[in-house]
Amino acid sequence: MKFTNQTGSIVAMITPFHENGSVNFDVLTQLLERQIAAGTDGILTLGTTGEYPTMSHEEDASVVAHTIKVVNGRVPVIVGSGSNCTATQVEKSIEYQNMGADALLLIAPYYNKANPEGMVRHFAETADRVNIPCLLYNVPGRTGCSIPVSVVEKLSKHPRISGIKEASGDMSYAMKIAHCVGPDFALYSGNDDITLPLMSIGGSGVISVFANVMPGVCHQIVADYAGGNQARALENHLKYLNLMNDLFLEVNPIPVKSAMNMMGLNVGPLRLPLCEMSEEHQKILRATMKEAGLL
């Protein structure tokens, strides 16, 4: 399925595990079907929420293949292929493209970081080697570096760099790159709590953690705003804002997997160094979920 000009709610999928730590493909199938039934506009696999840093390359490929097979073209599938090693990023991007990915998500190079020119080359080298759309992923809280505005401006002109997932939470930064938005370059919120503010400056939607829990609601909020019913979008965004925020009481995806297990979705444990949520935070999250009608 073509990804060009994709709008809406794109879920940043968790990866379900068995108690022994292996990937639970049966539950993954159920979760993907649940998303599509609820109207989710796209699937992101192997993002931060999917715990890909603790998965082997073979597991990554298996999850991608399974996701593409189950989704079967019903919505676009975006695959996180980013790395702080450009050569590895290129290798994975080509592999996932050949497996049938509709688009790729490329994170800023973490740990080793880069100067602006190195960052341009890091992303452009990958985009030059594939023929499907690539999204930049700005999440300085994870990577220790932000993609400079000048880099976004340059890369927004690349024919295969089709947008950015902006997850800094910095509206000033978002405003500075908003002029890059157009028919060939989209802005997606990477933070559920500011989806509507990002859409107000030209954003196309959200790549969402919250959508793992309430996919239908997340889809409707974005659809309402894009469709002109901004009052209803704001009403629902504010209604579930506490839940969106509480899904980040601890480092993602600890809270969202905890919430899904509370809902009986049986997504299993996390992989170290992530571990179960503290009892104090579980109580807070459980109360918020009850207020939202999930428990």
Side-chain angles (χ1 to χ4, degrees), residues 1 4 6 11 38 41 83 88 93 117 122-123 130 153 156 169 186 194 197 199 204-205 209 214 216 236 258 266 285:
M1 173 173 285
T4 307
Q6 179 68 33
V11 60
D41 301 288
S83 173
T88 299
S93 296
E117 180 58 27
H122 172 74
F123 291 117
V130 298
E153 290 172 340
S156 67
I194 57 171
M199 292 187 72
S204 294
V209 174
M214 301 191 79
N236 281 321
S258 298
N266 301 316
L285 180 59

Side-chain angles (χ1 to χ4, degrees), residues 31-51:
L31 296 177
L32 290 167
E33 292 293 352
R34 175 175 177 264
Q35 288 291 328
I36 293 171
T40 290
D41 301 288
I43 303 288
L44 167 65
T45 188
L46 301 189
T48 304
T49 311
E51 294 181 79

Side-chain angles (χ1 to χ4, degrees), residues 44 58 162 170 257 275:
L44 167 65
E58 292 74 21
S162 300
D170 182 349
K257 290 191 86 171
C275 66

Side-chain angles (χ1 to χ4, degrees), residues 84 108-113 142-145:
N84 61 345
Y110 45 88
Y111 187 70
N112 48 1
K113 306 182 182 180
R142 294 275 184 175
T143 61
C145 61

Side-chain angles (χ1 to χ4, degrees), residues 15-66:
T15 302
F17 298 127
H18 291 288
E19 289 302 318
N20 67 4
S22 61
V23 177
N24 190 331
F25 289 101
D26 289 339
V27 170
L28 179 56
T29 298
Q30 294 167 14
L31 296 177
L32 290 167
E33 292 293 352
R34 175 175 177 264
Q35 288 291 328
I36 293 171
T40 290
D41 301 288
I43 303 288
L44 167 65
T45 188
L46 301 189
T48 304
T49 311
E51 294 181 79
Y52 82 91
T54 62
M55 293 166 60
S56 69
H57 183 74
E58 292 74 21
E59 287 176 318
D60 287 345
S62 294
V63 168
V64 172
H66 187 84

Side-chain angles (χ1 to χ4, degrees), residues 160-204:
R160 281 178 297 283
I161 296 182
S162 300
I164 183 169
K165 176 184 178 183
E166 208 310 274
S168 71
D170 182 349
M171 282 300 300
S172 178
Y173 174 89
M175 288 294 293
K176 291 173 184 175
I177 64 171
H179 70 93
C180 298
V181 172
D184 300 316
F185 191 81
L187 171 64
Y188 299 95
S189 176
N191 299 70
D192 285 295
D193 60 335
I194 57 171
T195 296
L196 296 192
L198 260 291
M199 292 187 72
S200 76
I201 60 170
S204 294

Side-chain angles (χ1 to χ4, degrees), residues 210-281:
F210 169 67
N212 281 283
V213 177
M214 301 191 79
V217 169
C218 193
H219 164 79
Q220 196 60 52
I221 289 171
V222 176
D224 281 342
Y225 193 92
N229 196 341
Q230 295 165 351
R232 187 168 68 180
L234 178 59
E235 178 184 356
N236 281 321
H237 198 236
L238 295 177
K239 180 179 180 180
Y240 296 105
L241 184 61
N242 286 341
L243 178 56
M244 294 175 189
N245 287 330
D246 284 357
L247 290 175
F248 290 87
L249 282 168
E250 295 186 14
V251 66
N252 179 50
I254 293 174
V256 69
K257 290 191 86 171
S258 298
M260 295 172 80
N261 281 325
M262 290 179 195
M263 295 168 64
L265 294 173
N266 301 316
V267 301
L270 299 123
R271 284 187 175 178
L272 288 172
L274 303 186
C275 66
E276 63 275 1
M277 202 173 186
S278 71
E279 289 187 13
E280 176 186 359
H281 285 155

